[in-house]
Amino acid sequence: MPDSARRYTAKICGVWLIWQLCSGTAVAEEAPLTLSLLPGNPVNDIAAPLIVEIYKRAGITVQPKPIPPLRETRMLQEGTLDGVVGMLEGFEANHPDVIPIPVPLETLKVAAFVVDDTPDLATLLGGRRVRFSALRGVDLQLKLPGYVEWVFVNEPSQVMQMLVRGRVDAAITVDIAGLRMAREMPEAPIRALQPALSEKHVYHYLHRNHADLVPRITAVMQTMYDQGYLQALHAQFRRGTEAAVSSTPPQNQLQQQ
């Protein structure tokens, strides 16, 4: 084959290869993985960009999308959802269609928030009937003593609104979300009681249809964890929240001690 023909053939092959690569990228961009977020969750401010960064490092495009818990469950069962950005450990027990990535995104505490003079958790759970608000569809995996009446709501902000309006004795949610919501409601003396009700890891979950991606995402997250990236990001968010909201007894309680 003459040199000019070889060069022409090489040029055509090169153009074809570039077209193939671009076409593949275009297909990937047209169909990103859809990962659910809890609508209205204050932690989404860090969870959404974090999960995008994790998958970007793995060379995968994702779209975090707020989806209510009950619809999330249905979509996982139907296989129309690619995964869940983050959920408390044990989520897979009631959702057999997901696989946890075994590197924790964060460790959170489930806490009781009050607006009255209740000094601590033991007093709140001291045997009387209590009413708690909590988000519908999110299993906090709590075993509480005494008689508890649960009032379930559909939006994270409603958990705290029920408390402020006097409809419940305490709002039950993860501490970092509760503290952020409390900061955004400065007109109410919302406090987190000590100690916390429980401490749980938060994991990222993929639908079993994407089981082949688990090793790759695990490797990326483990590297980010070893570098301290995940911990630093959550610590920054937590500092901004806790600095503005007290978890100590109210001032009149302190004066009586």
Side-chain angles (χ1 to χ4, degrees):
M1 180 183 296
D3 290 341
S4 59
R6 289 194 183 94
R7 287 195 295 270
Y8 178 78
T9 302
K11 183 177 180 179
I12 292 297
C13 290
V15 171
W16 178 86
L17 179 59
I18 292 172
W19 180 86
Q20 288 285 343
L21 291 173
C22 292
S23 298
T25 301
V27 170
E29 290 177 350
E30 290 174 2
L33 299 183
T34 300
L35 306 175
S36 63
L37 287 163
L38 182 64
N41 187 356
V43 185
N44 290 350
D45 291 346
I46 56 171
L50 172 58
I51 205 69
V52 169
E53 175 64 22
I54 289 171
Y55 277 82
K56 180 180 178 182
R57 295 188 184 195
I60 302 170
T61 302
V62 296
Q63 179 183 12
K65 183 177 181 180
I67 299 175
L70 297 182
R71 189 190 308 168
E72 174 186 82
T73 296
R74 184 176 69 250
M75 293 178 67
L76 288 172
Q77 292 170 344
E78 296 169 347
T80 56
L81 184 61
D82 298 303
V84 180
V85 170
M87 194 61 70
L88 296 178
E89 61 183 277
F91 180 72
E92 68 276 18
N94 295 319
H95 299 79
D97 296 305
V98 300
I99 302 172
I101 302 299
V103 180
L105 280 170
E106 169 68 308
T107 300
L108 297 177
K109 296 178 180 180
V110 179
F113 290 83
V114 299
V115 292
D116 59 16
D117 292 342
T118 303
D120 51 38
L121 184 64
T123 302
L124 179 68
L125 301 175
R128 65 184 179 91
R129 173 181 173 179
V130 289
R131 297 167 300 163
F132 292 155
S133 59
L135 189 63
R136 179 177 285 108
V138 176
D139 184 8
L140 297 175
Q141 306 166 37
L142 297 175
K143 295 182 180 179
L144 302 177
Y147 181 79
V148 175
E149 177 185 342
W150 289 95
V151 179
F152 293 105
V153 296
N154 296 320
E155 301 287 341
S157 60
Q158 293 174 340
V159 176
M160 212 61 77
Q161 289 170 3
M162 294 289 286
L163 172 66
V164 173
R165 294 171 183 171
R167 301 284 298 278
V168 295
D169 300 299
I172 309 299
T173 185
V174 296
D175 63 339
I176 193 169
L179 289 170
R180 177 56 64 98
M181 287 187 286
R183 191 186 74 171
E184 295 171 355
M185 302 175 70
E187 72 282 0
I190 301 172
R191 300 177 296 109
L193 294 182
Q194 301 297 333
L197 287 161
S198 67
E199 185 171 290
K200 299 285 184 181
H201 291 308
V202 174
Y203 290 98
H204 169 48
Y205 291 86
L206 274 172
H207 194 279
R208 62 184 179 183
N209 291 341
H210 300 295
D212 59 313
L213 295 180
V214 171
R216 196 193 317 182
I217 301 305
T218 299
V220 170
M221 289 184 60
Q222 187 62 58
T223 297
M224 295 173 75
Y225 185 88
D226 293 342
Q227 293 173 343
Y229 182 95
L230 301 181
Q231 303 92 313
L233 187 64
H234 285 87
Q236 181 181 8
F237 183 87
R238 187 177 289 274
R239 282 196 300 272
T241 296
E242 292 180 335
V245 180
S246 172
S247 61
T248 60
Q251 189 63 35
N252 60 345
Q253 284 283 329
L254 294 173
Q255 292 173 350
Q256 295 172 8
Q257 293 177 0

